[in-house]
Structures are given as C-alpha cells and as structure tokens.
Amino acid sequence: RDRGLNYGAWVDGPEVEPRRYQESTAKAQYGSGWTTVSSSTASGGKTRYAKKAGAWVQFSFTGRAVAVVSPKSAGRGSVKVYVDGTYIKTVSTYRSSALSKVLVYAKSWSGSASHTIKLVVVGTAGHPRFDVDAFLVLK
C-alpha cells in the first residue's frame, strides 16, 4: 500500500546496510579520560571506555540515520546523548548480565545531511563505565 492508499503487488525494497565506524575512527573525537581495551566480543576487537563524569566523545558524520553500539553489563552506567548540539536523552548501559554489541541509541532523519552526536559520561556511582564499540551510519 502506498501513501495514497493504493494496493499493488508485493515488491522488495533495496537492501539497507549501515556503514560501521569502529571506536578508533578519525570521525570520532574524544575528550580526556578514555582508555582503549581489547575485547573478543567487540565488533572490531576493541572498545574505548571512560568512567569519569563529563568524559565525552563526539562523532561527526553525513547520513540519514545513526546508531551507537556499546556493551551492557552490571559495571556499566549511563551517557547523556546530544545530537547537533541539543540534549536528547540519557541512555543506560547497565544490565545485570553482560551482553555485547547492543544498539543503545539510534536516531534517523528524512534525508541525508551532516550531523554530530556527542556522548557525555554520567559517572553513575557503583557503575560509572561507558564503552564505545562502534557507530553505525545509514547514508
């Protein structure tokens, strides 16, 4: 069914595959306090993490959708998400049991354009750590 409420034969759309940018991409700028660690469960074999409140990472891209990939576990906490300079929400990566390669935040737009997503570590007591595994972008 199309927007005009007309029905037709079933048609497959194009395959959509996001471009993956690892934590080490030059498109990501990190403030102080981040550490890189190897991880056999990370999408590219490494993550970059911070525990201190206020530590930030900023990822600039051109696309119509973006997602943040991060592990979740009992020792992990929250980040504040800003898109194009506007606070959007706080995202928790706390989970009682560990899970890797989780899409913890995603945003889309109607068309492709230049955008920036900034993640700021909250530094939650008892579970302050936030890891960046990868960013996904749809052109």
Side-chain angles (χ1 to χ4, degrees), residues 2-78:
D2 65 16
R3 290 184 187 185
L5 302 179
N6 301 302
Y7 289 88
W10 180 263
V11 178
D12 286 330
E15 288 188 30
V16 178
E17 186 172 331
R19 170 95 192 259
R20 182 178 63 197
Y21 295 91
Q22 295 303 147
E23 86 299 332
S24 59
T25 179
K27 292 182 176 289
Q29 297 177 328
Y30 290 86
S32 63
W34 292 85
T35 302
T36 301
V37 294
S38 294
S39 171
S40 62
T41 60
S43 67
K46 295 180 182 177
T47 66
R48 196 171 290 193
Y49 76 89
K51 294 181 177 181
K52 185 178 178 186
W56 58 269
V57 57
Q58 184 169 289
F59 176 71
S60 299
F61 64 96
T62 299
R64 60 185 172 92
V66 66
V68 177
V69 179
S70 178
K72 287 187 165 191
S73 75
R76 292 190 168 82
S78 300

